[in-house]
Amino acid sequence: MNETTFEERLEQRSDEMKWLYMELYDDQHAYEYFVEMIRRCYEKRSRTLREWDDFRTIADDWYRGGELLGYMVYTEQFAGNLKGMGEHLDYLRELGVNYLHLMPLLESPEGKSDGGYAVSDFWKVEPALGTMEDLGSLSDACHRKGICVCLDFVMNHTSDEHEWARRAKNGEKEFQDRYFFYDNWDIPNAYEETVPQVFPQTAPGNFSWCPEAGKVVMTTFHPYQWDLNYHNSTVFNDMTEAMLNLCNHGVDIIRLDAVPYIWKELGTTCRNLPKVHTLVRLMRLAAEIAAPGTLLLGEVVMEPSKVVPYFGPVEKPECHMLYNVTTMASTWHTVATRDVRLLRHQLDSVFSLPKEYVFLNYLRCHDDIGWGLDYDFLGQFGMQEVPHKKYLNDYLCGNWEGSDARGERYNDDPVHGDARLCGTTASLCGIEAAEYENDQWKLDRGITQDLMLHAFLLTQSGIPVIYSGDELGQKNDYSYHEDPLKWDDSRFLHRGKMIWEDADKRKDLDTRPGRIFQMIRKLVDIRSKYDVFHSAADVWTLEPYNDHILGIGRYYKGEKLLALFNFSDFDETAWINEEGCWTNLITGENREAKAVGIPSKDFVWLFRKF
């Protein structure tokens, strides 16, 4: 153990860390405990992980270059348990994956786990999935294969079966103080005047009655998820220690779940409050001292103006990476409307941000698609929010003439018309409908659109993340309708088990899994070979003079890429006019970049070396 290293790191950060901590809590004893806790976590860190820390401290931009390809997976659906995950790492490497996001796997009560987001013990893996030792072993195996590991850290709340919650139910004030408990509904009702509801249909309100304690408790998400009180320094100290314990089990990237919600104040929305950023900055400082190889990924599912502040200022950064949720939603809007103007407008905003900002880009994830679009922009084209959301859901659920998409609504709110959407990429692209109808033409078109969307994903700067099964064109899983523990949550539609029979077909180009897997693999391979895909590249949207075609330009170190994506039901022409000879990176053919014809739902990557 190198004690000097710890002391040096602490000394570099102690002034800021103490100032922030004391501003929040004004408790010298709690701060001293916080520092000693960080020391304990540092001392428990293995030699191997410290070697990773040393490397990543020197190459502190290791995650920014464009070499990472993420894969998001539920352990039980993909491989049964953590040991099973280790048996499939070669499959992931074959695809090109070097960033593995394991969905929540800490202990949660069956039937009220919210997909693992209601944690009853932050220090234990769900027994059916394995142990903390198994997590450490899997992380070691991933590291040997060049794969970094990401894990969710559910920091806003605990399960109502967590030890703290059980003791709070028993009337112990110390543990009630770790949540938001009230003797009557007066203060909760005052909160409700300004705090939005997350699930107004399935879990209305932000508070629940706790009969055991005879009190009201804050439950922003579900009645069995009790919001933690970060006004209490003990909560922050212990939760930070739980996070660092995950780091010491080989987790490289901590996904801070629901981070905008973690600080509550009466008379506010309890979203994105300034002290949220203080807490995140403190957690980053703690990680930089005890486990500096760790990255923080913020789950901020909001519009760009509210997302970007979670990067923090350059001199005092907070999250290393954030989700590009608005681009994801705008992409599916474009699929439904075949009109790229909103997506182009949104990308212009993203492309104007500093290149140091790293976004995770994705087509689908474990969650629903929320329609938090720029309706002020859409309004100039006569699109009104409520009817437009209805159209998007109708189209992507296949309830619109000519649509082959097969999705389902989530958390339908008929009063506000604010339903969200669920479904796999393949099913939303029409592949499910085509196979059901045994229509080869529709299947070809669905696969073409699926691959076009993946090419768009890989064209963006940042870290592309593939949701498990998308690499094979996996379809919706309707079996959740028969499971009483799942049937009221349509997100399980796209959380089905990995179909390994499809994976076995991944090298057969006469099959849907083979066609999709091999082309995605080809796109990933191309992306890894050309500097133009580096995150430091200049990126801009092109003007193809065609509202059905999205054009993206990239330039870096003498390499230029023109990427064109046709969202139309028909063949279209991108009216660009670029000089010189260009190479189609997919076919290898040379051509001019003038009046480029693009088949329906297809794309072109044109490359030139200067």
Side-chain angles (χ1 to χ4, degrees):
M1 181 179 64
N2 187 343
E3 185 69 22
T4 306
T5 301
F6 174 85
E7 295 298 342
E8 287 177 351
R9 293 176 189 160
L10 177 62
E11 183 178 359
Q12 291 169 1
R13 296 162 178 83
S14 61
D15 287 347
E16 180 192 358
M17 192 165 71
K18 184 174 183 179
W19 187 86
L20 292 174
Y21 194 98
M22 296 299 286
E23 181 188 38
L24 277 181
Y25 300 120
D26 192 23
D27 187 331
Q28 179 66 29
H29 175 73
Y31 176 72
E32 291 173 358
Y33 178 91
F34 182 67
V35 172
E36 288 308 306
M37 177 274 293
I38 297 173
R39 183 188 300 274
R40 287 199 310 273
C41 293
Y42 170 80
E43 291 172 348
K44 292 177 182 178
R45 197 154 173 83
S46 71
R47 180 181 298 276
T48 300
L49 291 176
R50 290 188 189 181
E51 290 174 355
W52 278 106
D53 290 339
D54 291 342
F55 168 74
R56 290 171 177 169
T57 301
I58 296 171
D60 61 358
D61 62 347
W62 63 272
Y63 60 97
R64 290 195 178 115
E67 295 85 5
L68 290 179
L69 174 68
Y71 191 85
M72 182 182 293
V73 59
Y74 277 100
T75 299
E76 66 274 24
Q77 300 293 71
F78 187 79
N81 55 38
L82 289 170
K83 290 181 179 178
M85 279 297 309
E87 297 171 2
H88 292 294
L89 297 183
D90 287 339
Y91 169 83
L92 298 178
R93 290 302 295 138
E94 181 183 341
L95 182 61
V97 170
N98 49 16
Y99 173 131
L100 178 60
H101 181 176
L102 301 170
M103 298 303 292
L105 47 72
L106 299 181
E107 187 176 79
S108 300
E110 184 178 9
K112 51 177 187 177
S113 71
D114 190 29
Y117 288 95
V119 178
S120 56
D121 193 334
F122 288 91
W123 294 76
K124 286 179 63 178
V125 168
E126 181 62 40
L129 301 180
T131 65
M132 290 297 285
E133 289 70 28
D134 293 332
L135 174 61
S137 296
L138 175 62
S139 297
D140 288 343
C142 286
H143 293 159
R144 288 194 296 270
K145 290 185 177 291
I147 301 173
C148 56
V149 177
C150 174
L151 187 65
D152 289 67
F153 183 62
V154 185
M155 62 182 302
N156 178 72
H157 46 258
T158 74
S159 162
D160 65 353
E161 296 186 20
H162 189 281
E163 180 189 1
W164 296 354
R166 292 199 305 270
R167 296 183 69 170
K169 289 176 185 178
N170 289 335
E172 296 185 50
K173 187 178 185 304
E174 176 189 348
F175 292 92
Q176 290 184 357
D177 288 345
R178 299 188 186 193
Y179 301 98
F180 293 90
F181 270 90
Y182 300 97
D183 293 329
N184 56 51
W185 287 91
D186 292 346
I187 296 177
N189 287 338
Y191 270 104
E192 295 287 14
E193 293 178 5
T194 58
V195 179
Q197 299 181 60
V198 177
F199 302 125
Q201 295 302 304
T202 56
N206 292 283
F207 292 84
S208 300
W209 177 253
C210 176
E212 297 91 341
K215 294 186 178 184
V216 183
V217 62
M218 181 177 276
T219 56
T220 298
F221 289 87
H222 291 98
Y224 52 80
Q225 292 168 307
W226 290 8
D227 289 64
L228 287 166
N229 182 3
Y230 280 93
H231 293 256
N232 185 332
S233 60
T234 300
V235 169
F236 179 67
N237 288 351
D238 288 358
M239 291 297 288
T240 303
E241 184 173 11
M243 180 194 77
L244 294 175
N245 179 59
L246 295 176
C247 299
N248 283 348
H249 283 81
V251 176
D252 307 279
I253 300 156
I254 297 290
R255 177 184 182 269
L256 301 178
D257 178 67
V259 65
Y261 299 79
I262 60 177
W263 189 267
K264 277 67 170 190
E265 289 181 8
L266 188 62
T268 73
T269 62
C270 295
R271 311 281 198 274
N272 303 302
L273 299 181
K275 289 181 180 177
V276 169
H277 298 280
T278 302
L279 290 169
V280 175
R281 177 60 181 161
L282 280 168
M283 294 176 80
R284 174 148 178 174
L285 290 171
E288 287 180 351
I289 296 169
T294 303
L295 303 179
L296 298 184
L297 165 62
E299 191 233 359
V300 188
V301 186
M302 297 175 179
E303 60 269 28
S305 64
K306 294 181 179 177
V307 169
V308 167
Y310 285 86
F311 284 114
V314 174
E315 66 278 6
K316 295 180 180 180
E318 296 171 25
C319 294
H320 298 79
M321 305 179 293
L322 296 171
Y323 282 100
N324 190 358
V325 63
T326 308
T327 295
M328 181 277 296
S330 298
T331 300
W332 290 107
H333 164 276
T334 308
V335 169
T337 63
R338 284 82 77 200
D339 186 320
V340 305
R341 285 175 291 183
L342 174 67
L343 182 55
R344 179 178 178 182
H345 171 72
Q346 198 277 320
L347 288 174
D348 284 338
S349 298
V350 174
F351 294 162
S352 68
L353 296 173
K355 295 183 177 66
E356 291 79 14
Y357 291 174
V358 177
F359 284 102
L360 264 71
N361 304 306
Y362 59 106
L363 298 175
R364 291 298 296 115
C365 68
H366 70 291
D367 221 340
D368 56 276
I369 301 171
W371 301 117
L373 306 174
D374 188 341
Y375 291 99
D376 290 336
F377 179 83
L378 289 173
Q380 66 184 304
F381 309 116
M383 298 180 189
Q384 298 178 344
E385 182 171 350
V386 172
H388 189 59
K389 286 180 178 179
K390 183 179 186 304
Y391 166 75
L392 294 174
N393 286 317
D394 283 347
Y395 184 91
L396 292 167
C397 288
N399 299 327
W400 193 270
E401 185 177 357
S403 171
D404 292 311
R406 295 295 181 266
E408 289 185 356
R409 285 171 173 79
Y410 172 69
N411 207 44
D412 198 354
D413 181 357
V415 175
H416 299 96
D418 202 25
R420 283 114 81 177
L421 185 84
C422 298
T424 68
T425 297
S427 289
L428 295 178
C429 286
I431 290 173
E432 176 186 326
E435 292 191 343
Y436 178 80
E437 298 171 15
N438 196 26
D439 188 321
Q440 187 62 46
W441 179 82
K442 282 189 176 181
L443 179 60
D444 291 342
R445 184 175 69 170
I447 290 175
T448 298
Q449 178 168 252
D450 186 299
L451 293 171
M452 181 266 284
L453 294 177
H454 278 93
F456 168 56
L457 172 69
L458 292 165
T459 301
Q460 300 170 60
S461 293
I463 301 173
V465 180
I466 295 173
Y467 187 62
S468 178
D470 270 8
E471 75 279 9
L472 303 168
Q474 194 157 310
K475 299 173 290 185
N476 291 338
D477 178 9
Y478 296 96
S479 67
Y480 85 94
H481 286 293
E482 309 301 322
D483 187 338
L485 297 179
K486 298 178 180 178
W487 61 25
D488 63 349
D489 189 341
S490 56
R491 291 176 298 180
F492 286 102
L493 182 70
H494 51 259
R495 295 176 181 175
K497 287 186 178 296
M498 178 71 171
I499 302 175
W500 286 104
E501 293 82 359
D502 280 356
D504 292 339
K505 302 174 185 175
R506 66 186 181 275
K507 296 182 181 179
D508 185 351
L509 293 178
D510 291 328
T511 66
R512 176 252 305 161
R515 291 171 66 181
I516 294 176
F517 186 96
Q518 292 303 324
M519 179 53 81
I520 291 178
R521 184 68 196 92
K522 181 175 183 177
L523 295 173
V524 171
D525 187 54
I526 291 171
R527 189 174 188 270
S528 69
K529 289 180 178 178
Y530 290 89
D531 288 337
V532 74
F533 290 99
H534 195 284
S535 289
D538 293 326
V539 190
W540 65 97
T541 58
L542 302 171
E543 177 53 84
Y545 299 98
N546 187 326
D547 290 337
H548 300 297
I549 295 177
L550 176 71
I552 297 176
R554 299 185 63 90
Y555 180 85
Y556 189 64
K557 292 186 175 180
E559 294 183 355
K560 189 172 182 179
L561 178 78
L562 306 177
L564 302 166
F565 308 92
N566 180 11
F567 284 83
S568 173
D569 294 331
F570 305 98
D571 298 349
E572 299 283 350
T573 299
W575 299 104
I576 62 173
N577 185 19
E578 298 273 348
E579 298 296 328
C581 181
W582 297 75
T583 301
N584 184 321
L585 289 180
I586 307 303
T587 66
E589 297 174 345
N590 293 328
R591 59 156 299 156
E592 289 186 323
K594 301 176 185 292
V596 180
I598 309 170
S600 170
K601 313 292 187 185
D602 212 340
F603 76 99
V604 175
W605 273 355
L606 298 179
F607 174 81
R608 185 181 176 195
K609 182 81 172 179
F610 287 85

